[in-house]
């Protein structure tokens, strides 16, 4: 097969890579593309459709992951044989029955989103839960304050000032069940038409969420200092979504000059705001912690959002939003009727966890654990240093390996998969098709023991050796 007659809808809310993926998947299911057929090369299809090659690679990567297509080394992409796949028409729609697929069991999973749950402070958490419930306080089972318990918000206020340099009052903080909820609440507060700019590549969950909330989204190029303000001006956005203390996924730390430039941009016009996502600033391995952008804000332009998902556990589902005072007034008028989405008992446990010093001790412990695993991974990757560049290694719980452009990112992923190792490509975080990203692999280490890191990296090096 030399080409695919795919009609891309450039104005559709469905990303281009997803349109390609849906088209090919449907043709495979309907037998229009048969088992054993060779798909066009990513380069050829990208040229045919006049789009970025990375967009096609992302679509192919999804098809490979779901088992519709397989990548054969040095030969290309071929449609796999799918047994027990039948179809019939019902109410003029094609209904497909797919065979149940067992999830692939990987020997090693280098997820960049993992945390070490074995180090969760179970004993302390049980003690605090018991203490909180010891007095049989019926008030804990009432709805409570819509912004969250005052004790927790006041504790957060002091903690954020001491650890992150955030200037706020307890009244400005809203506690919610995860970042998604708080961003949806923020949409209600901001109200009206807004154009929001994201760094690219970026945290896709936030990007996707704002698209679903009918925001007009744009992407802005980055350099080694983070989001370029000159490019931000060109897209004429009024909201910028940034992660200045540790950009995800690239790990860039925004220096003070760029932060000041970004704050000046926000101060130039009424209605401009910066959303600062400070998702994992607790884990830094070189130098002192980087103060939050919000701490430098003198014009009430920064909306600060943080979470306990990385520092304690994802299942805690507790995040917090710090609103600038002008937006706090709007929240009280339009959003305060919404009840808090976090249990008052859980809020009290977290309040005591921070107040009694357990949180600080837990963070110190986890910094040591992650620093040790970070060092093991860096040392294990030394044989690859002549073949790739390591970046993003000074903070967070993952790093990046950037390879020469002649090496296909999807081939690196598939080679790893063939030996039972799961790695993650940077292209999955690319929301812009205009600029091709260099082939880059993200390697996380938070949920792996040191011996697992050594063994997994050693096997990766062996699997990738033939590609160079």
């Amino acid at each position: 097969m030399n080409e695919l007659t795919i009609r891309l809808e450039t104005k559709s809310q469905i990303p281009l890579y997803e349109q390609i993926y849906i088209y090919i998947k449907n043709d495979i299911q309907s037998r229009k593309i048969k088992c054993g057929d060779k798909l066009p090369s990513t380069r050829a299809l990208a040229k045919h459709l006049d789009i970025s090659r990375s967009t096609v690679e992302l679509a192919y990567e999804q098809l490979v992951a779901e088992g519709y297509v397989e990548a054969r080394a040095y030969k290309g992409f071929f449609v796999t044989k799918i047994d027990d796949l039948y179809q019939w028409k019902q109410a003029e729609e094609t209904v497909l029955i797919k065979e149940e697929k067992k999830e692939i069991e990987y020997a090693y999973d280098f997820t960049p989103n993992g945390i070490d749950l074995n180090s969760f402070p179970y004993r302390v958490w049980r003690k605090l839960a018991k203490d909180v419930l010891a007095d049989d306080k019926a008030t804990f089972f009432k709805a409570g304050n819509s912004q969250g318990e005052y004790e927790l918000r006041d504790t957060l206020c002091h903690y954020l000032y001491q650890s992150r340099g955030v200037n706020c009052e307890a009244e400005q903080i809203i506690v919610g069940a995860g970042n998604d909820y708080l961003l949806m609440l923020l949409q209600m507060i901001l109200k009206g038409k807004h154009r929001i700019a994201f760094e690219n590549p970026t945290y896709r969950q936030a990007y996707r969420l704002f698209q679903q909330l009918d925001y007009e989204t744009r992407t802005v190029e980055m350099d080694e200092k983070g989001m370029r303000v000159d490019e931000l001006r060109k897209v004429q956005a009024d909201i910028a979504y940034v992660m200045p203390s540790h950009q995800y996924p690239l790990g860039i730390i925004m220096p003070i000059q760029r932060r000041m430039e970004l704050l000046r941009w926000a101060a130039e016009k009424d209605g401009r705001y910066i959303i600062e996502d400070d998702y994992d600033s607790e884990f830094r391995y070189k130098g002192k912690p980087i103060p939050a952008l919000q701490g430098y804000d003198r014009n009430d332009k920064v909306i600060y959002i943080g979470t306990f998902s990385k520092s304690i556990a994802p299942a805690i589902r507790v995040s917090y939003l710090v609103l600038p005072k002008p937006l706090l007034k709007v929240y009280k008028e339009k959003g305060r009727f919404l009840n808090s989405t976090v249990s008052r008992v859980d809020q009290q446990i977290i309040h005591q966890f921070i107040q009694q010093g357990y949180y600080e001790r837990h963070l110190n412990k986890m910094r040591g654990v992650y620093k040790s695993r970070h060092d093991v991974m860096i040392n294990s990757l030394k044989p690859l240093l002549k073949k790739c560049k390591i970046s993003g290694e000074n903070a967070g719980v993952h790093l990046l390996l950037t390879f020469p452009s002649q090496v296909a990112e999807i081939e690196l992923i598939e080679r790893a998969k063939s030996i039972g190792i799961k790695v993650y490509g940077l292209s999955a975080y690319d929301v812009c098709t205009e600029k091709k990203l260099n082939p880059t692999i993200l390697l996380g280490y938070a949920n792996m023991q040191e011996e697992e890191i050594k063994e997994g990296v050693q096997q990766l090096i062996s699997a990738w050796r033939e590609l160079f």
Side-chain angles (χ1 to χ4, degrees):
M1 179 178 295
N2 296 318
E3 64 180 25
L4 295 171
T5 54
I6 304 173
R7 294 181 180 177
L8 296 178
E9 297 293 336
T10 56
K11 295 183 179 180
S12 172
Q13 291 187 351
I14 301 175
L16 295 180
Y17 87 90
E18 192 172 341
Q19 292 183 45
I20 298 171
Y21 150 77
I22 292 171
Y23 178 91
I24 297 176
K25 183 183 73 170
N26 288 343
D27 272 10
I28 292 174
Q29 291 175 342
S30 63
R31 310 294 186 184
K32 292 179 182 178
I33 303 179
K34 296 180 175 58
C35 168
D37 279 357
K38 182 180 180 181
L39 297 182
S41 69
T42 56
R43 188 185 302 277
L45 187 55
K47 184 177 180 180
H48 176 67
L49 298 175
D50 195 25
I51 59 174
S52 166
R53 187 179 174 187
S54 62
T55 302
V56 179
E57 288 176 349
L58 192 56
Y60 278 22
E61 181 180 335
Q62 185 65 31
L63 290 165
V64 169
E66 294 188 16
Y68 288 100
V69 172
E70 63 179 354
R72 299 178 188 172
Y74 310 112
K75 293 183 180 180
F77 296 87
F78 295 80
V79 177
T80 57
K81 183 179 181 181
I82 306 176
D83 297 323
D84 302 325
L85 185 63
Y86 302 96
Q87 57 185 351
W88 67 88
K89 286 188 176 181
Q90 182 179 1
E92 299 182 350
E93 292 184 357
T94 302
V95 181
L96 300 172
I97 298 180
K98 301 178 183 178
E99 62 178 342
E100 290 187 3
K101 297 179 183 178
K102 294 182 180 178
E103 289 188 10
I104 298 174
E105 293 185 4
Y106 291 95
Y108 305 104
D109 185 351
F110 286 93
T111 174
N113 299 316
I115 70 165
D116 183 9
L117 291 177
N118 292 324
S119 297
F120 182 81
Y122 294 100
R123 183 185 60 80
V124 170
W125 207 263
R126 282 194 296 267
K127 173 186 177 297
L128 293 177
K130 184 178 179 181
D131 292 346
V132 167
L133 295 172
D135 297 333
D136 296 331
K137 292 183 178 178
T139 55
F140 283 163
F141 298 93
K142 294 181 179 179
N145 191 304
S146 59
Q147 286 186 235
E149 295 300 285
Y150 178 82
E151 293 90 343
L152 174 58
R153 290 187 285 121
D154 188 55
T155 297
L156 278 173
C157 184
H158 289 90
Y159 167 74
L160 290 173
Y161 178 74
Q162 293 172 1
S163 67
R164 306 292 302 119
V166 172
N167 292 303
C168 67
E169 301 171 2
E171 189 68 15
Q172 293 174 253
I173 297 177
I174 301 174
V175 177
N179 285 21
D180 291 353
Y181 165 77
L182 290 176
L183 291 176
M184 287 188 284
L185 177 63
L186 183 59
Q187 188 257 0
M188 179 185 294
I189 297 169
L190 290 170
K191 214 65 180 171
K193 295 291 184 180
H194 293 280
R195 180 178 292 178
I196 180 166
F198 286 83
E199 304 151 318
N200 190 60
T202 193
Y203 176 47
R204 287 191 71 95
Q205 179 71 358
Y207 181 84
R208 188 183 300 115
L209 179 64
F210 278 105
Q211 279 194 320
Q212 293 299 318
L213 294 174
D214 292 329
Y215 277 79
E216 189 177 349
T217 55
R218 293 289 186 272
T219 56
V220 175
E221 284 190 28
M222 288 191 293
D223 55 21
E224 70 281 358
K225 298 179 181 179
M227 179 181 278
R228 290 178 51 182
V229 179
D230 58 334
E231 294 294 327
L232 174 61
R233 295 182 189 279
K234 291 179 183 178
V235 300
Q236 297 182 335
D238 53 358
I239 298 175
Y241 188 103
V242 294
M243 295 163 273
S245 295
H246 186 234
Q247 199 274 342
Y248 187 84
L250 294 183
I252 293 172
I253 296 171
M254 187 180 289
I256 185 66
Q257 300 94 330
R258 182 62 55 84
R259 292 173 182 234
M260 294 297 102
E261 194 178 352
L262 192 59
L263 287 171
R264 283 195 295 272
W265 167 84
E268 287 172 358
K269 290 185 179 180
D270 290 339
R272 280 186 180 176
Y273 288 100
I274 300 167
I275 300 175
E276 178 181 13
D277 187 346
D278 202 18
Y279 69 101
D280 75 344
S281 58
E282 294 86 1
F283 303 118
R284 178 162 169 78
Y285 312 120
K286 187 177 180 180
K288 296 181 179 180
I290 308 298
L293 176 67
Q294 195 271 1
Y296 298 103
D297 181 22
R298 298 294 178 268
N299 296 291
D300 283 327
K301 292 292 185 177
V302 177
I303 302 163
Y304 180 90
I305 186 167
T307 179
F308 292 108
S309 292
K310 285 282 189 181
S311 58
I312 302 179
I316 298 297
R317 302 302 302 156
V318 176
S319 296
Y320 43 90
L321 190 68
V322 180
L323 290 176
K325 290 182 179 179
L327 291 183
L328 176 63
K329 182 179 179 181
V330 179
Y331 164 75
K332 289 180 177 180
E333 294 173 354
K334 297 183 177 180
R336 201 164 192 170
F337 69 93
L338 293 172
N339 290 322
S340 175
T341 53
V342 181
S343 158
R344 297 182 72 185
V345 174
D346 289 340
Q347 291 186 59
Q348 285 293 332
I349 293 172
I350 294 174
H351 160 62
Q352 295 296 335
F353 190 63
I354 300 172
Q355 187 76 12
Q356 296 185 34
Y358 293 115
Y359 185 49
E360 184 177 356
R361 289 195 285 274
H362 176 67
L363 287 178
N364 288 335
K365 174 187 174 182
M366 296 315 300
R367 286 189 193 102
V369 170
Y370 291 153
K371 176 64 165 62
S372 180
R373 294 176 187 178
H374 161 276
D375 293 346
V376 167
M377 178 169 280
I378 293 291
N379 288 329
S380 300
L381 288 168
K382 283 183 178 179
L384 271 180
L385 290 182
K386 292 182 179 179
K387 308 295 182 182
C388 67
K389 175 187 175 183
I390 296 178
S391 60
E393 72 275 20
N394 294 326
V397 290
H398 78 275
L399 50 79
L400 301 93
L401 304 179
T402 302
F403 293 84
S405 57
Q406 62 267 27
V407 179
E409 184 181 287
I410 192 169
E411 184 67 17
L412 293 164
I413 295 171
E414 287 304 308
R415 286 292 182 97
K417 181 180 177 181
S418 69
I419 59 171
I421 299 179
K422 190 170 186 179
V423 297
Y424 300 78
L426 181 62
S427 59
Y429 303 89
D430 181 16
V431 293
C432 176
T433 61
E434 296 177 2
K435 185 177 180 181
K436 187 181 184 307
L437 300 175
N438 289 326
T440 303
I441 297 296
L442 281 70
L443 293 181
Y445 46 83
N447 64 337
M448 302 178 71
Q449 299 299 316
E450 292 180 13
E451 286 304 315
E452 292 178 319
I453 294 172
K454 291 178 184 177
E455 180 62 26
V457 171
Q458 185 177 354
Q459 291 186 26
L460 279 177
I461 293 173
S462 299
W464 288 342
R465 187 171 288 123
E466 295 178 3
L467 297 176
F468 309 115

